[in-house]
Amino acid sequence: MTTDRPVRIGVQVQPQHALYPDIRDTVRALEDLGVDVVFNWDHFYPLSGEPEGLHYESWTMLAAIAEQTERVELGALVNCNSYRNADLQADMARTIDHISAKGGTGRFIFGTGSGWFEKDYNAYGYEFGTVGSRLDALAESLPRIEARWAQLNPAPTRDIPVLIGGGGERKTLRLVAKHADIWHSFADPETLKHKISVLKDWCEKEDRDFSEIELSNEQREKNLKLADELHATGVTLFTIGISGPDYPLEQVRDWVRWRDEING
């Protein structure tokens, strides 16, 4: 599968096990290194290491990253739809879009998903429900978010890109076909080929041009040979996760060099 899109590198700065100045310095270093996107995640507790360790909230940090940076795109990988009213999410996204614009076009990516980390729900008083009920809630929220963007004054500086994560074939990929500009997965190359075929079927049913959707992938092995295979399958946005307290950057440098070689 070929695509005209250039390869891009995203780095998820996991907001855990570090104090904010270390996170801020890491974001600055990543922009200096030339990465394309800086992500965080939308949780209230660490997902690895000490369960009650240092951790920060996603959206307030994204607003700070938008002000701090000049070039990189930014967003959550991914926002949890359950934690905030849909229209509020739209307004927050529009506001960060404007903060990031610096007199030009905004850089915010609205990455979203249905939620899964039960500890967050229980500790903060949200109803956990079921996988199906959370996906149904996301399906209800996305049209509201898009409608609110059309009503806000001032309007967003651009059509805010929507990133949806997940590979569920009955509901999630249909939402991708209807709403997403970027589809994010953790799939290996063979699984990805199958999922792409399912997504193409949904695009046909939803009268959506599949080529409009950028394919994004995160592989925890951080294997560049595997990245070559994923790129051949159509992936152009590759994400690397790094965690506190140290936020290692050497592998990020390797991926940036690989991107530059691919893009020529």
Side-chain angles (χ1 to χ4, degrees), residues 224 249-259:
L224 288 172
L249 298 181
E250 188 51 48
Q251 281 191 312
V252 177
R253 294 184 180 95
D254 293 340
W255 281 74
V256 169
R257 284 192 292 267
W258 173 81
R259 175 203 65 190

Side-chain angles (χ1 to χ4, degrees), residues 75-137:
L77 195 64
V78 288
N79 165 69
C80 177
N81 178 68
S82 303
Y83 301 160
R84 302 161 194 88
N85 167 281
D87 293 82
L88 175 62
Q89 292 177 55
D91 204 341
M92 293 162 70
R94 181 282 311 257
T95 300
I96 296 177
D97 167 71
H98 275 261
I99 293 170
S100 70
K102 306 293 179 71
T105 301
R107 296 173 284 121
F108 184 73
I109 296 171
F110 181 66
T112 194
S114 58
W116 64 272
F117 190 40
E118 189 171 4
K119 180 176 181 176
D120 284 346
Y121 287 80
N122 292 339
Y124 278 61
Y126 297 108
E127 181 180 352
F128 189 55
T130 65
V131 171
S133 68
R134 295 193 299 275
L135 278 167
D136 290 342

Side-chain angles (χ1 to χ4, degrees), residues 20 27 38 40 60-69 72 74 107:
Y20 182 71
V27 169
V38 171
N40 63 13
T60 45
M61 183 180 295
L62 288 171
I65 292 171
E67 185 61 56
Q68 170 190 348
T69 55
V72 293
L74 62 141
R107 296 173 284 121

Side-chain angles (χ1 to χ4, degrees), residues 142 146 162 164 166 168-169 171-183 196 198-210 212-213:
L142 285 165
E146 293 164 350
V162 174
I164 295 177
E169 297 179 11
K171 292 185 177 182
T172 302
L173 292 182
R174 184 176 188 180
L175 291 176
V176 172
K178 291 180 71 171
H179 300 283
D181 301 283
I182 306 169
W183 171 50
I196 287 172
V198 175
L199 178 55
K200 285 181 174 178
D201 288 342
W202 278 121
C203 285
E204 185 174 351
K205 291 172 184 175
E206 296 293 339
D207 195 25
R208 178 76 188 282
D209 183 352
F210 169 77
E212 295 175 352
I213 302 171

Side-chain angles (χ1 to χ4, degrees), residues 14-17 41-58 83 116-126 243:
Q14 300 165 359
Q16 60 178 9
H17 307 308
W41 66 31
D42 188 19
H43 295 288
F44 306 126
Y45 293 93
L47 298 187
S48 62
E50 168 53 48
E52 302 296 323
L54 300 169
H55 200 280
Y56 291 100
E57 192 276 328
S58 171
Y83 301 160
W116 64 272
F117 190 40
E118 189 171 4
K119 180 176 181 176
D120 284 346
Y121 287 80
N122 292 339
Y124 278 61
Y126 297 108
S243 177

